[in-house]
Amino acid sequence: MIGGFRQNMTWLHTWAGLVFCWILYFMFVTGTLGYLDLEIDRWMEETPPSVGAAPLEQSTNMAMARLQSEAEGAERWMIFPPDGRESPNLGIFWSMPRVEGSEEPIQRGNEQLDSYTGEPIAEPRRDTGGGQVLYRMHYLLHYFPGQSGYRLVGLITILMFVGMITGIVVHKKIFREFFTFRPGKGQRSWLDAHNLFSVSSLPFQLMITYSGLIFTVGLWMPMIGLASYGFDTKMAANLANELIGEVKVERTGTPGPLMNPMELVAAAEAEWGADEVSYFEILNPGDQDSRIVLHREAGILTRLGGRMVFDGATGEHLETMPPTKLPVLTFAIAMLGLHEGTFAGPFLRWLYVLSGILGTAMIATGAVHWTSKRRKKAEEGADGFGFRLVECLNIGTIVGLPVGIAAFFLANRILPAEMETRADWEIHIMFLTWLACLIYPAIRGRQHSWRDLSWLAAAAYAAVPVVNLATSEMHLGNTIAAGDWVLAGFDLTCLATAAVFAGVAVYLGKDTRKSTREATIGAAEHIPLGSS
């Protein structure tokens, strides 16, 4: 490739952005929804709101009673007290010891409990992947086998990062262009919109892309870890044990007393401060040689806050592990917290969502700008097939993917609750709907397809709260009256989304009529005089 530096950067920016832009758009849409995954879970599972968090002592007593009745003889218990949005209920986990000589997998179990009564939380009313499956789609791409989807996402993330850096280089007046928008100017307007969405969310896009690369670094530089920690399936566990450490104790088989972990909280808080205990881990419960491990609250650096180890029978303080000071591990876990917004409260979480929407719009306007810039040449016969393919992919993905997600929500309410593999079919319906939207522009044509699919999206999202009203008791009439703004917010957000797509469809309808009139006038001007 021959040309000046900025010309070469422009070429690289264009093609790094275009080649996988539709998958990148899919990643941004599903990743943005992932910031609301638990709220989507609640709506799709029809889960009632949490009754709130009982005091730590009451929660712990409820958990201990449940574990003693359900997981006697386990080698490990874990107790997770309620902790805000991520863990609104009391959680318990247990794993049974492996039978000597057996190749059967270790038996594990977990439950969500009411922290006041200790009773298990009712199972979801509907079998569904919920918001979690949308979240996982943004880095696994769902149907891809093994790690192939994860590897493709890693490659696309690299291209995204290249596209962002070259975009900054290409637009040397990028911040001045941020304040420039010229509507009704065709290609120029799309470029202005692309610049606006890019610059307004630039810090977020840089953070989300760079932190995403940190997660996939093992795909591109695996040999250091493999050489040091082995080529078997335990490589990750071996690495984690060395970096974080693991409390190990052999089971004696002799019964012994077990203290209540709450009796040890005062000793931990004397060193750490009040309300710093995050969760409890109990090794060999009921055995003469048991351990109680208190883990410290860590904020954004989850699992790295430090811990205190006590003898489970006597309460003797055996060990204190301070918070990790390994810079590489601290940095990697901090990047994970930033990428997933694990520390974000309601306001900051919605700021994450808004930034994700701006990033999605950045990708969409860039793709449309590519076609608007080349339309005239394509109409003259230059690379018509490639142009039409890109245009169909643009329409079918930019509008069709949101239609598919609306179909996913509708399928959740319409499919019979007793249907086998209904959770899988919710996802199949989403992708089949998206596929139909990809095919539609090739049949209907560009101008009509943008408008038609926008109307379809508006109708689909408007239908979600209506179908919810007909099939569920958790509809707007009840959720608003109960002050349940998580479930009410879901329906209201669908209505707002429907209004946005309806507005776009109305605008596109005017543009289509204008184009039709201009084409008719242009054809009339070329009719020879005297012809009928």
Side-chain angles (χ1 to χ4, degrees):
M1 182 174 55
I2 300 174
F5 176 72
R6 288 189 68 244
Q7 183 180 350
N8 290 339
M9 290 297 100
T10 300
W11 181 92
L12 185 57
H13 178 76
T14 299
W15 292 103
L18 179 69
V19 173
F20 291 108
C21 71
W22 306 284
I23 300 180
L24 187 61
Y25 180 87
F26 172 83
M27 291 164 56
F28 261 74
V29 170
T30 52
T32 300
L33 290 173
Y35 290 123
L36 301 172
D37 56 346
L38 299 181
E39 290 76 13
I40 296 172
D41 282 347
R42 271 205 61 203
W43 188 88
M44 298 187 74
E45 294 175 352
E46 295 189 86
T47 307
S50 171
V51 296
L56 179 63
E57 182 174 3
Q58 184 174 351
S59 296
T60 305
N61 291 339
M62 294 294 102
M64 288 292 291
R66 183 69 179 175
L67 286 165
Q68 287 166 350
S69 66
E70 296 295 321
E72 186 179 1
E75 67 175 4
R76 181 190 302 263
W77 291 348
M78 299 183 79
I79 301 172
F80 301 92
D83 186 21
R85 173 185 177 271
E86 297 286 336
S87 305
N89 300 307
L90 173 63
I92 59 173
F93 167 87
W94 63 89
S95 62
M96 307 303 291
R98 184 185 294 277
V99 177
E100 187 174 352
S102 173
E103 296 183 358
E104 293 294 322
I106 296 175
Q107 298 297 311
R108 297 180 172 89
N110 65 86
E111 288 182 343
Q112 296 289 307
L113 309 177
D114 183 314
S115 60
Y116 286 96
T117 66
E119 292 299 316
I121 301 296
E123 290 293 319
R125 298 184 185 182
R126 302 171 188 268
D127 179 25
T128 176
Q132 301 307 310
V133 75
L134 291 174
Y135 163 73
R136 290 193 295 271
M137 281 180 191
H138 97 277
Y139 64 89
L140 294 177
L141 305 182
H142 194 68
Y143 288 115
F144 283 69
Q147 284 197 323
S148 57
Y150 191 61
R151 293 178 184 277
L152 180 57
V153 165
L155 173 62
I156 294 172
T157 305
I158 292 174
L159 291 175
M160 171 74 176
F161 198 65
V162 169
M164 294 187 65
I165 299 302
T166 53
I168 294 172
V169 172
V170 167
H171 297 283
K172 57 182 179 181
K173 299 177 181 178
I174 188 170
F175 289 101
R176 191 181 78 177
E177 293 173 343
F178 170 70
F179 297 99
T180 303
F181 181 68
R182 289 154 284 193
K185 300 294 184 181
Q187 171 193 333
R188 182 71 252 183
S189 298
W190 285 113
L191 181 59
D192 288 346
H194 180 65
N195 293 338
L196 173 64
F197 292 130
S198 300
V199 179
S200 60
S201 59
L202 183 60
F204 174 82
Q205 308 307 336
L206 287 170
M207 179 277 291
I208 210 72
T209 307
Y210 181 74
S211 58
L213 285 174
I214 296 299
F215 306 151
T216 59
V217 69
L219 295 176
W220 315 114
M221 293 183 288
M223 295 311 297
I224 296 176
L226 292 174
S228 301
Y229 299 100
F231 289 79
D232 60 13
T233 56
K234 296 182 180 179
M235 187 272 283
N238 295 337
L239 172 60
N241 288 339
E242 181 168 327
L243 292 177
I244 301 176
E246 183 181 25
V247 179
K248 294 183 178 181
V249 59
E250 294 295 330
R251 191 178 188 88
T252 65
T254 303
L258 178 65
M259 296 186 68
N260 188 307
M262 285 304 302
E263 299 178 55
L264 308 173
V265 169
E269 291 187 340
E271 183 170 338
W272 293 340
D275 301 323
E276 284 294 304
V277 175
S278 177
Y279 65 94
F280 305 99
E281 183 179 10
I282 303 173
L283 305 176
N284 297 337
D287 190 80
Q288 185 177 4
D289 201 3
S290 60
R291 297 289 183 269
I292 299 177
V293 185
L294 275 59
H295 293 264
R296 188 178 184 183
E297 193 67 62
I300 189 172
L301 300 177
T302 54
R303 301 185 301 280
L304 300 180
R307 64 182 178 226
M308 295 181 71
V309 183
F310 299 86
D311 187 295
T314 66
E316 179 186 358
H317 181 201
L318 302 177
E319 176 190 9
T320 295
M321 181 177 180
T324 181
K325 295 184 180 179
L326 293 170
V328 172
L329 184 59
T330 301
F331 177 74
I333 298 299
M335 287 294 101
L336 174 63
L338 282 171
H339 190 89
E340 296 188 341
T342 53
F343 60 94
F347 174 77
L348 189 55
R349 183 163 298 278
W350 275 105
L351 191 59
Y352 263 81
V353 172
L354 175 60
S355 299
I357 292 171
L358 291 173
T360 304
M362 172 190 71
I363 298 165
T365 52
V368 175
H369 170 65
W370 189 92
T371 56
S372 65
K373 187 176 182 179
R374 291 160 176 81
R375 176 165 292 110
K376 186 175 181 180
K377 288 184 178 180
E379 290 173 350
E380 294 172 353
D383 191 24
F385 173 78
F387 176 85
R388 287 192 298 273
L389 176 62
V390 170
E391 198 156 52
C392 288
L393 290 172
N394 281 352
I395 301 168
T397 299
I398 293 171
V399 188
L401 176 59
V403 173
I405 292 171
F408 175 67
F409 296 144
L410 289 169
N412 173 261
R413 288 296 191 257
I414 294 173
L415 292 177
E418 65 278 4
M419 176 182 176
E420 293 186 10
T421 66
R422 76 180 307 278
D424 292 333
W425 270 104
E426 288 177 357
I427 302 167
H428 298 332
I429 288 171
M430 169 184 160
F431 281 99
L432 288 170
T433 303
W434 183 15
L435 177 61
C437 292
L438 285 168
I439 296 171
Y440 185 77
I443 301 170
R444 178 67 164 148
R446 173 182 64 89
Q447 290 182 332
H448 295 292
S449 294
W450 279 113
R451 181 197 60 195
D452 295 351
L453 291 182
S454 295
W455 276 122
L456 179 60
Y461 280 98
V464 170
V466 175
V467 173
N468 187 36
L469 173 64
T471 59
S472 169
E473 295 180 358
M474 295 184 179
H475 52 77
L476 279 174
N478 291 335
T479 54
I480 291 178
D484 189 345
W485 291 106
V486 170
L487 295 186
F490 184 98
D491 284 344
L492 292 172
T493 300
C494 285
L495 291 175
T497 305
V500 170
F501 276 110
V504 171
V506 169
Y507 175 80
L508 291 172
K510 294 178 180 178
D511 187 56
T512 300
R513 288 192 294 271
K514 179 182 176 182
S515 300
T516 302
R517 285 196 303 269
E518 290 175 351
T520 303
I521 293 171
E525 289 175 349
H526 289 84
I527 297 176
L529 292 176
S531 62
S532 56

